[in-house]
Amino acid sequence: LISIQMEPTVENRKEKEMVKVSIEGVGIKAGVMIWISLLIYFILMKSSSLIESELAWAFNAVIIGAGLMLMYRYYRTKTQLTVDYLPGLTLGIITTVVSVLLFSLTVYFWLIRLDVAILELLKKNSLFMGGEAVTPFKVAASIVIEGGCTGLLISFMLMQYYKSGFRRKAGEELMEG
């Protein structure tokens, strides 16, 4: 009888596995993965001369959105399906802040140290507060504003979708009506 009580049940093992997954940990890891994706895309834009295109820069929103969606799906598989709205939104905010700040700092230092000539190309780009006085700081600030707003808006929209999905059990259909 004592040995039976000491052995963890399936439910206890699942609870221990769920405790290992934290919102902050998942958010930081997902933020770093999104940052790496944004960095790879930035290097591709630079090498293919799309760096001037506002449309190419706007594709960053797609990368952030896809990263957030994958992050929510991952979090859902590693935890219980019932995740409250506020913790889910917090997860999106942490992920957005980490990815956008890392990317803006990377671009800032890239423009200061590696490629000052890009600033001349960005003068025509309205996303970076165009005009004659385009600086690395303005570019980084624009990335923080645009990326932050994009990530927060996408997180808010995804939580509207996932808040009902998180409450369902795997394979369970949502009842209409």
Side-chain angles (χ1 to χ4, degrees), residues 85-167:
Y85 182 78
L86 232 38
L89 193 58
T90 302
L91 181 59
I93 291 169
I94 291 170
T95 303
T96 298
V97 167
V98 168
S99 63
V100 169
L101 284 180
L102 286 174
F103 184 62
S104 66
L105 286 172
T106 302
V107 170
Y108 176 77
F109 287 114
W110 183 291
L111 293 175
I112 286 178
R113 304 272 183 213
L114 298 175
D115 202 352
V116 181
I118 293 178
L119 291 175
E120 289 299 316
L121 297 172
L122 295 178
K123 284 185 180 180
K124 296 180 262 178
N125 195 322
S126 62
L127 289 176
F128 301 110
M129 301 173 213
E132 294 300 316
V134 176
T135 64
F137 180 77
K138 277 188 174 182
V139 173
S142 296
I143 289 171
V144 168
I145 292 168
E146 181 260 336
C149 291
T150 299
L152 295 177
L153 184 62
I154 291 171
S155 295
F156 177 74
M157 290 187 314
L158 287 173
M159 281 311 300
Q160 295 299 318
Y161 172 74
Y162 280 123
K163 71 180 178 182
S164 64
F166 281 141
R167 301 231 182 267

Side-chain angles (χ1 to χ4, degrees), residues 76 81-85 157-169 172-176:
R76 185 177 181 194
L81 296 178
T82 55
V83 175
D84 291 328
Y85 182 78
M157 290 187 314
L158 287 173
M159 281 311 300
Q160 295 299 318
Y161 172 74
Y162 280 123
K163 71 180 178 182
S164 64
F166 281 141
R167 301 231 182 267
R168 290 183 285 165
K169 294 183 179 172
E172 183 180 287
E173 293 295 322
L174 185 63
M175 298 295 291
E176 295 292 326

